[in-house]
Amino acid sequence: MAADHDKVFKALADPARRLLLDRLFAENGQALGALCAGLDMTRQAVTKHLAVLEEANLIAVVWKGREKLHYLNPVPIQEIADRWIAKFERGRLRLLADLKDKLEGESDG
Amino acid sequence: MADTRSVFVTYIRTTPTRLWQALRDPEFTRRYWFATRHESDWTPGSPWRLMIPDGRVAHSGEVLEVVPERRLVLSWRAEFNAAMHAEGHSRVTFELEPVGESVRLTVTHEIDRPDSKLVKTLAHGWPHLLSSLKSLLETGEPLTETSRWPKGM
């Protein structure tokens, strides 16, 4: 689990890879050629970035005939949000709940 | 013809047997799948329905393919929303593949039409659902937000 999260954070640490994910978010299921269009990156560089994203499970691949289509897989980001970031959210919500109890307790008294 | 497809992949530390059960057994689905339960005998050609706790049908379709502990394909039509219902049947494929100590679960939702509201709307739900399923199987507890049917839906 920790190692899987490391891969996700490392994959997301590169602006070019985040750009590729953004492009798939805008239009899911693109082939390499479409993903490269209008980018200031070589085809080889894009291929390498896609491999890192696939290894981190942020991209899922579907073969349609001879075409390799890339799909954004948001599940690992969701898992990090649920298990890691939510911890801090819970802390903040508990503080608010405590504050509410305290203030309401004061007004009752 | 243009299609709409989304693909979701998660690795869960469990066995194919347990995951296969968790995908279909109401004792599992009611805890992580927005409190819903399936109604089907899971035979190819048989009807399939996903039931909301208040008795409404969320989605319905037919069992298209069953390979125990490996692959389940359902035709899938929205029943709780008119616009999505009008799009007709989509297809949902669950694929289970053992990888080391884990099982790789791939969920593919697709329909033979461009810009499908059904596929795009459910694409917001699948990541929560799968994250919750993973949590349930690995820790015994699902995520609270997927343990109830969403209010107002």
Side-chain angles (χ1 to χ4, degrees), chain A residues 57 71 73 78-79 82-83, chain B residues 5 9-10 128 131 135 143:
Chain A
N57 194 28
Y71 289 84
N73 179 32
Q78 184 70 49
E79 287 164 2
D82 291 336
R83 285 173 187 68
Chain B
R5 179 185 294 122
V9 183
T10 185
H128 289 282
S131 182
S135 182
L143 305 175

Side-chain angles (χ1 to χ4, degrees), chain A residues 96-106:
Chain A
L96 283 173
D98 289 350
L99 181 64
K100 181 173 184 285
D101 287 348
K102 188 164 182 288
L103 291 174
E104 287 176 354
E106 278 171 5

Side-chain angles (χ1 to χ4, degrees), chain A residues 32-104:
Chain A
L32 178 62
L35 270 172
C36 289
L39 282 186
D40 195 17
M41 267 189 277
T42 64
R43 214 178 155 87
Q44 287 82 352
V46 173
T47 304
K48 270 172 90 174
H49 285 312
L50 289 176
V52 174
L53 290 168
E54 204 181 326
E55 173 67 21
N57 194 28
L58 288 166
I59 280 183
V61 159
V62 173
W63 286 92
K64 196 175 176 185
R66 293 174 59 185
E67 213 176 22
K68 186 182 185 184
L69 301 178
H70 302 83
Y71 289 84
L72 172 63
N73 179 32
V75 182
I77 296 173
Q78 184 70 49
E79 287 164 2
I80 285 174
D82 291 336
R83 285 173 187 68
W84 206 76
I85 298 171
K87 272 190 259 183
F88 300 107
E89 291 285 316
R90 273 199 295 275
R92 206 180 56 179
L93 292 175
R94 200 166 46 237
L95 278 178
L96 283 173
D98 289 350
L99 181 64
K100 181 173 184 285
D101 287 348
K102 188 164 182 288
L103 291 174
E104 287 176 354

